[in-house]
Each structure stands twice: as structure tokens, then as C-alpha cells.
């Protein structure tokens, strides 16, 4: 039995997406830049996809630029804003995705910018007072703070940050890769300058995404070429990807409440099953256990170390896909976990769900985890966690 609980890494294609993209893999293969009828028809499809995305997010179609994924959109928005406005100060956090941190590091190394890291509390929440102090001291700054964290699920109050950004004349980029298709946006009303999406995180194809650039901004392109994407991003459009992205977003928002409700219940079910599993010392990283302050599909669990090997590896051996980094046996926890006040000697496992997961799968996962602890030599010799040892 294969169980996939790594949906923050990527998701399965939705059947409706497969159906939508098939004609563009077979008969509708013309280049949208070609002047003939076949090309014009494909171009109309790309335009329709742009309209769909814009409409779903309360944006205007000329604010949506298709890219090869969130990483490219992040590079375009951050580098574009720094260059366009000669910004020399950036505020970010230690728990951003590497696509943000490495892009900002590059600008710092090149001498373009200085970076300030906003304080986080012990669970990884942004300290808004500190953010305001940083903004007061450095107006006309670029803020790069994510919406939903990919490892611990924390959801940041981007509305409050947007208000601060306006007050201090800052430019606000937010990485919405993990919330796109899971939370509703109204970009016409929001104080957000740039955000991104990546289709494969919401049951669309890999290697395609978009960046929203508020219409008051004009950025320099990252990729020069044939003038596609209104000159903002050269290169023949990934038509299959763009069609799939728009369909995936449409399906996500059509069934948003039902699916997010189910996913949230899956998370709470796993928490409750682990609570009665008999394994002592389990805790949760960041806000991931909360149903209000985290994205519904991410649960970051901190397990006591096994005496040999890692839980993620042992689960993988029985066909269960999760993800994680172990600080057990001298390994290193991820940069996100290291930024939190978590116990150092734990194995952190991220389980991330989708609408395709079932409660039965989670029963199976908890049985597998219990089996792993029961067969751990330290448990057998009575050295391990009290609750487990008491079973022996
Ligand atoms: N930002 C966040 C929060 C992510 O979770 C990811 C992917 O894991 C990315 C950016 C990069 O997305 P992509 O690999 O699709 O470019």
C-alpha cells in the first residue's frame, strides 16, 4: 500500500486538469506567437487562462505573468523590485523558502541591499511590533514575508503586513506558494505588490507558475527574449502548463471549502490518533497543529529519536511518503526548524495532506509508526520513552 503524505512538496494532477491539457499535448500544439489561425487559437487559450487566474484572485489579467514556477516568480519579483526602485534594504525572516533567502543573499553579497531579519516568536510567528520598528527606521524597504510556511504551516497575517507596508511606503512581496488554491485572495483590495503561485502545489502540472505584479509596478525582465508575457518574460509559453495551471486553480476554488474542511479534519485526525498511540514525547512544530493559524494541509511532528535510523526512512521502506530532517544522530534540522524554539534532539517529520488522502490511510500510518517504535532496540531494552516501555 503506497501512501502519499508529501503534498506540500508536490501534488497529484487533478483528473479535470489531465482532461483539460490533453488537447494541447496532441492536436493544439501551435505556437501562440504564430500569426496563423492555429497559433491565434492557442494564444486565445493562453489569454483565457490568464483571465481565469486573474478573476479567481481579484486581479486584472495584465497583472498576471506566467513563469516556470514559484522560484522564477520570486526571483523576478525580488530582483525586479530591488533594481526598479533602487531599494537598499530588505526585511525578511529566517523561515522563508530558500528561493527567497538565496535571492536576497545574492543581492546582499553584490552590495545592492542590506537584510534585516524580523523577530519571530518561539512558534515562528512574525513579531509585528519589531517589523514596524524596522520599517520606521528604514522606510522605502522591500518586505519579503511568506504567507504559508512550507515546513511548519504557519500562516502570516499578510493583511496587517500590507497595512504597515503602505504606512511606511515599503514594497511588499509575499510568497503564497503554499496558500495559493487553499485560501481566497482579493488582490484588488489587498495591500500586496507581488505574490507567486506554482501549479504543482495545487494539483496542476510541474514547471509552471505565475507572478502577480500589481499594475502600479513596472519591473525589468529576468529573462529576455521574444517579447512574450508583454516583454516581462521571454520564451515560448508553456501552453500545456498554463492551461493546466488555470484549470487546477479553477477546480481548487470551486471546491475550496469542502476540500479544505476535509483536509483540516485529516490533520486533526492524525493529531488525535498520535495522542492515543502510546508514543510519549511527541510535539508539534510552529503553528502546524492549530486549525486557525496554519495551512490546513501541513502537520510538522517532532518525534523522539529512534536509537537506530530515521522514522522518515523507515516509513519510506513500507511505502509511506512523508518528509523531514532529523537532528537525531548528529544530523541537522532544517533552517526553518532551527529558527524555532524546538527541542534539539528530535526527528521532525512533515506530513502534508491533499483532498485525495483518506482517514484509513492515516490509521495505517499511525500503525506503522507505532510498529517502528515497538521494534526499536532501545524500546525493547526499556531505555526509551516511558509509555512505549510500559507496553513491553
Ligand atoms: N516557496 C515555497 C513556500 C515553496 O514551498 C516552494 C516549493 O516547495 C517554492 C517557493 C518553490 O516552488 P517551485 O519549486 O515550484 O518553484
Amino acid at each position: 500500500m503506497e501512501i502519499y503524505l508529501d503534498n506540500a512538496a508536490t501534488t497529484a494532477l487533478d483528473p479535470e486538469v489531465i482532461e483539460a491539457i490533453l488537447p494541447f499535448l496532441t492536436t493544439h500544439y501551435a505556437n501562440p506567437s504564430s500569426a496563423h489561425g492555429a497559433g491565434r487559437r492557442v494564444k486565445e487559450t493562453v489569454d483565457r487562462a490568464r483571465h481565469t487566474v486573474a478573476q479567481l484572485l481579484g486581479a486584472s489579467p495584465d497583472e498576471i505573468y506566467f513563469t516556470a514556477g514559484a522560484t522564477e516568480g520570486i526571483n523576478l519579483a525580488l530582483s525586479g523590485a530591488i533594481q526598479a526602485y533602487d531599494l537598499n534594504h530588505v526585511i525578511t525572516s529566517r523561515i522563508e523558502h530558500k528561493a527567497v533567502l538565496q535571492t536576497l543573499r545574492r543581492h546582499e553579497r553584490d552590495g545592492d541591499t542590506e537584510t534585516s531579519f524580523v523577530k519571530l516568536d518561539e512558534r515562528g510567528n512574525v513579531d509585528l511590533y519589531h517589523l514596524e520598528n524596522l520599517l520606521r527606521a528604514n522606510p522605502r524597504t522591500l518586505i519579503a514575508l511568506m504567507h504559508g510556511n512550507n515546513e511548519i504551516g504557519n500562516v502570516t497575517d499578510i493583511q496587517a503586513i500590507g497595512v504597515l507596508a503602505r504606512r511606511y511606503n515599503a514594497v511588499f512581496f509575499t510568497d503564497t506558494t503554499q496558500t495559493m488554491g487553499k485560501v481566497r485572495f482579493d488582490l484588488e483590495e489587498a495591500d500586496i505588490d507581488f505574490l507567486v503561485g506554482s501549479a504543482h502545489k495545487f494539483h496542476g502540472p510541474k514547471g509552471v507558475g505565475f507572478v502577480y505584479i500589481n499594475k502600479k509596478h513596472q519591473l525589468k525582465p529576468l529573462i529576455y527574449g521574444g517579447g512574450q508575457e508583454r516583454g516581462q518574460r521571454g520564451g515560448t509559453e508553456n501552453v500545456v502548463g498554463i492551461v493546466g495551471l488555470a484549470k487546477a486553480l479553477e477546480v481548487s476554488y470551486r471546491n475550496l471549502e469542502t476540500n479544505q474542511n476535509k483536509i483540516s479534519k485529516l490533520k486533526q485526525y492524525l493529531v488525535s490518533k498520535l495522542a492515543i498511540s502510546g508514543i510519549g514525547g511527541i510535539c508539534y512544530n510552529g503553528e502546524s497543529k492549530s486549525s486557525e493559524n496554519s495551512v490546513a494541509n501541513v502537520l510538522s511532528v517532532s518525534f523522539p529519536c529512534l536509537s537506530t535510523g530515521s522514522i522518515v526512512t523507515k516509513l519510506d521502506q513500507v511505502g509511506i511518503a512523508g518528509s523531514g530532517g532529523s537532528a537525531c544522530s548528529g544530523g541537522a534540522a532544517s533552517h526553518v526548524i532551527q529558527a524555532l524554539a524546538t527541542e534539539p534532539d528530535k526527528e521532525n517529520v512533515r506530513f502534508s495532506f491533499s483532498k485525495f488522502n483518506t482517514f484509513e490511510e492515516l490509521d495505517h500510518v499511525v500503525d506503522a509508526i507505532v510498529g517502528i517504535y515497538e521494534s526499536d532496540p532501545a524500546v525493547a531494552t526499556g531505555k526509551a520513552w516511558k509509555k512505549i516501555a510500559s507496553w513491553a
Side-chain angles (χ1 to χ4, degrees):
M1 186 185 194
E2 294 276 322
I3 299 176
Y4 185 78
L5 292 180
D6 198 17
N7 290 279
T10 199
T11 55
L13 283 178
D14 188 280
E16 282 194 59
V17 172
I18 297 174
E19 199 188 335
I21 64 179
L22 266 180
F24 297 87
L25 286 163
T26 51
T27 47
H28 304 342
Y29 52 81
N31 188 321
S33 297
S34 296
H36 45 66
R40 283 197 307 277
R41 282 190 290 280
V42 173
K43 172 143 188 4
E44 279 163 22
T45 306
V46 171
D47 289 344
R48 256 200 315 279
R50 196 183 314 281
H51 270 86
T52 302
V53 173
Q55 202 176 27
L56 290 167
L57 302 180
S60 142
D62 58 8
E63 295 176 313
I64 304 295
Y65 298 87
F66 292 116
T67 62
T71 301
E72 186 191 317
I74 289 167
N75 274 264
L76 172 57
L78 296 181
S79 298
I82 288 168
Q83 281 161 19
Y85 301 111
D86 226 0
L87 300 172
N88 56 18
H89 185 248
V90 180
I91 301 172
T92 190
S93 84
R94 300 223 179 257
I95 61 170
E96 300 298 307
H97 191 272
K98 288 280 170 75
V100 169
L101 292 176
Q102 296 295 352
T103 304
L104 295 179
R105 188 171 296 169
R106 204 262 292 172
H107 284 289
E108 192 166 45
R109 230 185 273 134
D110 290 352
D112 306 332
T113 52
E114 270 179 37
T115 305
S116 299
F117 290 94
V118 70
K119 280 187 198 155
L120 304 172
D121 71 12
E122 70 284 357
R123 289 211 298 276
N125 297 305
V126 170
D127 179 338
L128 290 175
Y129 294 106
H130 186 230
L131 176 62
E132 181 157 15
N133 285 339
L134 287 171
L135 285 167
R136 201 176 286 123
N138 308 277
R140 204 64 196 141
T141 277
L142 171 63
I143 303 173
L145 290 171
M146 72 202 313
H147 191 199
N149 186 278
N150 48 302
E151 284 195 38
I152 53 173
N154 287 28
V155 171
T156 305
D157 186 350
I158 53 173
Q159 209 184 334
I161 296 172
V163 169
L164 287 177
R166 287 298 80 87
R167 189 176 302 154
Y168 293 94
N169 200 22
V171 182
F172 179 28
F173 163 81
T174 183
D175 179 355
T176 45
T177 310
Q178 290 292 341
T179 48
M180 189 53 56
K182 301 183 180 104
V183 168
R184 290 196 191 276
F185 293 90
D186 183 359
L187 294 176
E188 207 180 337
E189 295 299 316
D191 286 316
I192 294 171
D193 295 288
F194 314 102
L195 57 70
V196 288
S198 197
H200 71 112
K201 306 287 188 186
F202 49 88
H203 303 290
K206 292 171 186 50
V208 63
F210 68 90
V211 54
Y212 158 84
I213 301 177
N214 186 293
K215 56 166 107 44
K216 66 182 179 231
H217 298 293
Q218 184 75 47
L219 301 187
K220 277 208 183 125
L222 202 63
I223 300 172
Y224 290 86
Q228 289 92 348
E229 295 300 298
R230 282 106 65 222
Q232 192 70 69
R233 198 256 185 198
T236 300
E237 296 87 341
N238 173 1
V239 177
V240 172
I242 290 169
V243 169
L245 181 151
K247 178 53 80 178
L249 202 59
E250 183 196 310
V251 173
S252 298
Y253 282 117
R254 195 197 314 138
N255 303 315
L256 187 87
E257 281 72 25
T258 312
N259 287 334
Q260 292 306 304
N261 215 352
K262 175 190 169 184
I263 291 167
S264 188
K265 286 197 174 121
L266 285 169
K267 187 202 283 204
Q268 297 314 323
Y269 186 70
L270 183 53
V271 170
S272 61
K273 290 283 294 187
L274 285 172
I276 55 164
S277 67
I279 304 168
I282 288 179
C283 40
Y284 295 89
N285 295 312
E287 293 287 352
S288 74
K289 192 180 162 190
S290 148
S291 27
E292 287 91 44
N293 304 330
S294 76
V295 284
N297 71 323
V298 171
L299 185 66
S300 176
V301 193
S302 191
F303 286 103
C305 293
L306 295 170
S307 65
T308 57
S310 104
I311 303 162
V312 176
T313 310
K314 287 177 193 289
L315 287 174
D316 183 36
Q317 285 159 358
V318 294
I320 297 168
S323 78
S326 175
C328 307
S329 322
S334 75
H335 72 282
V336 174
I337 299 292
Q338 283 181 32
L340 308 177
T342 49
E343 288 177 51
D345 292 334
K346 291 270 181 160
E347 177 165 355
N348 300 295
V349 183
R350 179 187 70 185
F351 296 109
S352 49
F353 318 100
S354 85
K355 60 185 177 181
F356 296 127
N357 288 120
T358 64
F359 294 92
E360 293 70 35
E361 284 179 328
L362 299 184
D363 289 337
H364 195 77
V365 169
V366 175
D367 287 347
I369 295 170
V370 168
I372 289 168
Y373 275 94
E374 281 180 327
S375 60
D376 188 76
V379 174
T381 56
K383 284 191 203 131
W385 346 111
K386 272 191 224 131
K387 286 195 197 169
I388 285 268
S390 70
W391 298 354

